[in-house]
Amino acid sequence: MGRVENVRVVLVGVQESGNVGMTARAMKNFGLRELYLVAPEADPLAEEARKFAVGAKDVLESAGIVDTLDEALADVHFVAATTARARYGYPGRILTPREAAPRLRGRAEAGERVALVFGRERSGLTNEELDRAHYVIRIPTAPDFKSLNLAQAVLILAYELFLAEPKRTEQPRPAAVGELEGFFADLEGYLLEIGFTDEKRLPHAMRRFRRIFHKAELTPGELAMLRGLVRQGRWAIERGRS
Ligand code: SAH
């Protein structure tokens, strides 16, 4: 099984206890153990959740519960988020599970922490949540009914990951998401400060910058350099003012 246990499943705002139980079961069937629930609306330990988890109650009971997606991803190196929608504000290509799995598996085997992020039953993930992803994955479906049951979507991803031949990455380990998000927060303030864009267009600009930097898979050293650049830019502006 290798190190597929380095792959974390994150459910954002899950609404049905049964889906939490079925997710735990699907995970354990394919060697995944680490479940995080971000601001769950459903009780993960409800009778219904336990019933659907069957022999995977251990996965259910050890699930981490956090308030924000950033907390669930802070120590993760590589994020793949899922969407039923074929189109939204995302500027990159959307991968199928089969395309993404060998690369995700390769990263997990290299000891990187990988997260698979799933959305709410009724509304999926917001664009802001999808913006945290290095890859966005969509399960191909019949065109007139694209939305799968949440736990069944988890099952398909877990299965593809289980079968995938790991594709080893040449890239060194990227900085953790917590570090990267710190840089994005700095960059956002800086873009406004230098008049690169205005408040209204900022989300669009940030979406494109995020895409560039996610593709670059920045190492901690590269990230430190970029943060230095922003800091120095701010210092130069301050100096110009005084
Ligand atoms: N109406 C919602 C559907 C949410 S389904 C929407 O428009 O997105 C709940 C979750 O299951 C999604 O957020 C996603 O994580 C997963 N999911 C459902 N169908 C999927 C598909 N075709 N591909 C990838 N993930 C899917």
Side-chain angles (χ1 to χ4, degrees):
M1 223 21 259
R3 303 183 68 173
V4 83
E5 63 269 22
N6 278 343
V7 179
R8 176 179 302 176
V9 170
V10 180
L11 304 184
V12 180
V14 63
Q15 293 159 321
E16 303 288 342
S17 297
N19 277 334
V20 187
M22 284 192 276
T23 291
R25 181 181 190 175
M27 287 173 62
K28 192 167 173 180
N29 280 143
F30 298 107
L32 304 180
R33 310 212 139 253
E34 210 183 326
L35 175 61
Y36 268 68
L37 306 172
V38 177
E41 286 180 29
D43 175 3
L45 297 177
E47 192 47 44
E48 174 136 284
R50 291 175 190 278
K51 188 180 90 191
F52 282 111
V54 191
K57 292 186 188 68
D58 53 334
V59 174
L60 200 60
E61 281 158 9
S62 62
I65 300 183
V66 293
D67 292 330
T68 64
L69 181 56
D70 283 330
E71 285 170 80
L73 299 179
D75 61 340
V76 163
H77 303 103
F78 206 81
V79 181
T82 54
T83 180
R85 279 165 285 167
R87 229 182 274 274
Y88 63 102
Y90 183 70
R93 199 167 77 81
I94 297 182
L95 302 174
T96 64
R98 201 154 292 176
E99 287 169 331
R103 301 183 226 176
L104 296 175
R105 185 75 192 266
R107 292 191 166 275
E109 308 259 319
E112 295 176 22
R113 271 186 296 276
V114 173
L116 300 175
V117 185
F118 296 85
R120 300 156 190 85
E121 288 88 337
R122 282 191 275 285
S123 55
L125 294 166
T126 64
N127 282 344
E128 289 67 31
E129 288 159 350
L130 286 162
D131 282 344
R132 263 122 186 103
H134 293 81
Y135 291 165
V136 173
I137 299 175
R138 198 180 82 78
I139 300 163
T141 57
D144 59 345
F145 194 37
K146 298 194 177 82
S147 172
L148 276 80
N149 162 267
L150 168 60
Q152 290 175 347
V154 173
L155 178 79
I156 288 177
L157 266 293
Y159 173 72
E160 289 292 339
L161 216 53
F162 182 82
L163 287 187
E165 213 40 69
K167 184 173 187 298
R168 293 308 275 248
T169 170
E170 301 298 313
Q171 297 273 83
R173 177 178 299 193
V177 169
E179 302 291 315
L180 194 59
E181 287 300 320
F183 166 61
F184 289 143
D186 287 354
L187 181 65
E188 216 171 78
Y190 187 61
L191 293 180
L192 289 175
E193 217 166 315
I194 64 173
F196 181 89
T197 187
D198 54 27
E199 287 278 358
K200 192 165 146 274
R201 279 178 288 230
L202 183 65
H204 179 72
M206 276 310 296
R207 188 153 293 143
R208 300 203 75 93
F209 274 116
R210 279 172 172 276
R211 181 72 198 130
I212 293 169
F213 292 120
H214 277 137
K215 272 198 291 196
E217 298 177 11
L218 301 167
T219 63
E222 289 165 344
L223 196 59
M225 191 177 165
L226 285 167
R227 294 191 86 165
L229 176 71
V230 169
R231 211 165 30 243
Q232 187 69 22
R234 285 198 155 139
W235 182 79
I237 294 167
E238 280 306 313
R239 196 183 47 176
R241 280 199 190 118
S242 57

